[in-house]
């Protein structure tokens, strides 16, 4: 769908058009799921976070200042919902659940990039997800997370370094 059509749907939603809001949610549902699962790492919690975010967005759609940033606004609401779930749960995750599985193939270990990203601290992981998975510009990430753009850049650099270090350690352990 073209950007002009998305903006039009966002404007209609802001004026109370429920069908337009539903269409926007349907368009962004995969994006919402990817962000939620990256933060919460649990399907049920991710779906709860998405549901909560959609409800909050629907209830406060009139507060959307710039319809062209609907997706950014929605993801910010989702991140806040996910953080609220984390705060409520405060559960301990076992190391085995956290790391995931790898398999051996022709002498090399196959590494799932999601598993590697999941090992990052939350503040680095969310940046990787928004920047690479959601293709969100640095400026929008800065707005969503309420941190300066320079901080986004430096944390992204740190996250890339951590990923590189993990992957190089993983290769060395095989050889």
């Amino acid at each position: 769908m073209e950007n002009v059509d998305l903006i039009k749907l966002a404007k209609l939603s802001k004026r109370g058009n429920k069908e337009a809001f539903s269409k926007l949610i349907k368009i962004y549902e995969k994006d919402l799921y990817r962000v939620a699962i990256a933060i919460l790492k649990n399907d049920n919690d991710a779906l709860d976070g998405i549901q909560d975010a959609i409800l909050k967005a629907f209830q406060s759609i009139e507060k959307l200042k710039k319809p062209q940033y609907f997706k950014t606004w929605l993801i910010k609401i989702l991140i806040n919902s996910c953080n609220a779930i984390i705060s409520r749960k405060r559960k301990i995750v076992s190391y085995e659940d956290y790391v995931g599985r790898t398999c051996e193939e022709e002498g090399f270990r196959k590494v799932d990039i999601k598993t590697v990203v999941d090992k990052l601290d939350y503040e680095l992981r969310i940046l990787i997800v928004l920047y690479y998975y959601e293709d969100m510009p640095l400026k929008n990430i800065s707005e969503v997370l309420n941190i300066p753009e320079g901080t986004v850049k430096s944390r992204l650099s740190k996250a890339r370094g951590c990923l590189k270090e993990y992957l190089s350690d993983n290769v060395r352990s095989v050889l």
Side-chain angles (χ1 to χ4, degrees):
M1 185 167 260
E2 288 189 38
N3 202 24
V4 175
D5 295 333
L6 295 173
I7 294 171
K8 185 177 177 182
L9 284 173
K11 287 179 180 179
L12 286 171
S13 298
K14 190 172 174 171
R15 286 188 241 134
N17 186 319
K18 295 174 185 173
E19 287 180 36
F21 184 82
S22 292
K23 285 180 184 177
L24 282 171
I25 296 302
K26 187 72 176 158
I27 290 167
Y28 295 125
E29 70 184 343
K30 289 180 182 173
D31 300 322
L32 293 171
Y33 181 77
R34 278 192 303 263
V35 171
I37 201 72
I39 294 171
L40 297 169
K41 298 188 185 5
N42 174 310
D43 209 37
N44 290 330
D45 289 344
L47 294 174
D48 286 345
I50 292 168
Q51 183 178 3
D52 185 49
I54 291 170
L55 179 61
K56 286 178 181 174
F58 182 75
Q59 291 172 338
S60 61
I61 186 71
E62 71 280 349
K63 295 178 185 173
L64 175 64
K65 293 178 184 164
K66 296 181 180 179
Q68 64 269 30
Y69 294 121
F70 178 83
K71 180 181 176 182
T72 303
W73 176 77
L74 183 61
I75 287 178
K76 184 174 186 172
I77 293 171
L78 176 64
I79 289 170
N80 289 336
S81 293
C82 291
N83 287 338
I85 289 171
I86 290 170
S87 294
R88 280 193 307 264
K89 289 214 165 212
R90 296 278 183 221
K91 64 182 180 179
I92 299 172
V93 178
S94 72
Y95 182 75
E96 291 78 27
D97 291 342
Y98 188 70
V99 173
R101 295 180 357 175
T102 59
C103 63
E104 302 228 351
E105 192 174 280
E106 297 178 24
F108 293 98
R109 276 202 295 177
K110 201 177 198 180
V111 178
D112 179 22
I113 194 69
K114 183 187 176 316
T115 302
V116 177
V117 170
D118 284 349
K119 289 184 178 190
L120 294 172
D121 290 337
Y122 170 77
E123 70 178 19
L124 300 178
R125 185 174 64 246
I126 191 65
L127 290 171
I128 294 291
V129 169
L130 293 176
Y131 188 75
Y132 289 106
Y133 295 176
E134 297 305 317
D135 200 27
M136 192 178 282
L138 294 174
K139 181 180 178 189
N140 291 3
I141 295 171
S142 170
E143 291 172 11
V144 166
L145 299 177
N146 290 325
I147 56 176
E149 198 170 329
T151 304
V152 172
K153 290 178 185 178
S154 65
R155 286 183 186 171
L156 264 175
S157 176
K158 182 178 179 182
R160 288 184 200 112
C162 291
L163 292 173
K164 182 179 178 180
E165 185 178 315
Y166 173 77
L167 291 171
S168 66
D169 285 347
N170 199 17
V171 169
R172 272 189 243 126
S173 70
V174 172
L175 302 174

